[in-house]
Amino acid sequence: MKKKAVVVVDMQVDFVTGSLGTAAAQAIVPLMVKYLRDRQATGEYDFYCTHDTHGQNYMETQEGRRLPVPHTILGTEGWELIPELKEFEPTMTNFNKPTFGSYEMMVAMREAGYEEVEFVGVCTGICDISNAVMTKAALPEARIVIYENLCACVNETTHNTALDAMRTLQMDIETYVA
């Protein structure tokens, strides 16, 4: 049996309904819950989850100066996984990341030797693409799947640009059908 993983990227309150939330992020939630239940039911997947994690000094960081909207501050409600996904949290290996991609998650995934990794979450043009590219570098022969209808970005243009870039990097862009 293939070693498979699912990565849920930054489905935190601040990115869905909070300070950087979007209608697009909110719209993917119901289907994402169905997708995660379906994947969990197979027993074939390991589950990973990234948490964008900033400190109280966020505004003093490079990111804070370029995106001056405090978000996902550790210890706040905005940092938490959205309520709709809490049921899955006990089965996920969680990684806090102070930037767009998680180096620690890549090391863990490489050590596990996954043959297939599926990505869902936000934001397609920032953290989804960063973690997918890092995964491709860590696991060059693995099949990397991005579910376009289970990812969201700040707007449709940046979402599609990121999907095109990942397609160019030999990742499979698919539509999840329940």
Side-chain angles (χ1 to χ4, degrees):
M1 182 181 294
K2 264 187 181 177
K3 284 200 68 140
K4 300 179 185 179
V6 168
V7 178
V8 177
V9 179
D10 297 354
M11 288 299 292
Q12 296 161 271
V13 171
D14 273 348
F15 289 128
V16 179
T17 59
S19 61
L20 292 173
T22 65
Q26 293 167 30
I28 68 173
V29 172
L31 188 58
M32 186 180 294
V33 170
K34 172 80 172 112
Y35 160 83
L36 291 171
R37 286 182 182 149
D38 289 349
R39 290 298 186 263
Q40 198 172 50
T42 70
E44 296 177 22
Y45 293 83
D46 293 332
F47 292 85
Y48 291 80
C49 183
T50 65
H51 290 264
D52 194 56
T53 303
H54 300 293
Q56 295 298 326
N57 70 332
Y58 171 74
M59 296 300 287
E60 299 164 22
T61 67
Q62 182 180 96
E63 182 179 331
R65 290 187 297 276
R66 293 176 182 227
L67 177 62
V69 179
H71 62 280
T72 61
I73 307 297
L74 184 63
T76 67
E77 179 185 352
W79 178 86
E80 296 290 330
L81 194 65
I82 60 171
E84 295 87 344
L85 300 187
K86 287 284 192 180
E87 71 182 87
F88 305 103
E89 203 165 26
T91 64
M92 295 177 168
T93 301
N94 293 282
F95 291 90
N96 294 346
K97 57 183 189 55
T99 187
F100 308 130
S102 173
Y103 176 78
E104 291 79 10
M105 183 172 71
M106 293 314 111
V107 170
M109 293 178 80
R110 184 176 184 149
E111 288 174 359
Y114 292 107
E115 298 171 68
E116 185 170 311
V117 182
E118 299 179 357
F119 282 87
V120 300
V122 295
C123 170
T124 319
I126 303 172
C127 294
D128 290 346
I129 193 170
S130 295
N131 284 287
V133 168
M134 291 173 73
T135 299
K136 188 67 175 170
L139 300 165
E141 294 301 318
R143 179 174 184 249
I144 308 297
V145 180
I146 315 301
Y147 284 105
E148 64 183 343
N149 60 332
L150 297 177
C151 293
C153 203
V154 295
N155 61 54
E156 191 173 338
T157 300
T158 56
H159 175 75
N160 289 329
T161 299
L163 293 174
D164 287 343
M166 290 185 278
R167 189 177 290 112
T168 300
L169 293 167
Q170 302 176 357
M171 298 177 203
D172 295 328
I173 309 304
E174 296 187 1
T175 301
Y176 177 71
V177 180

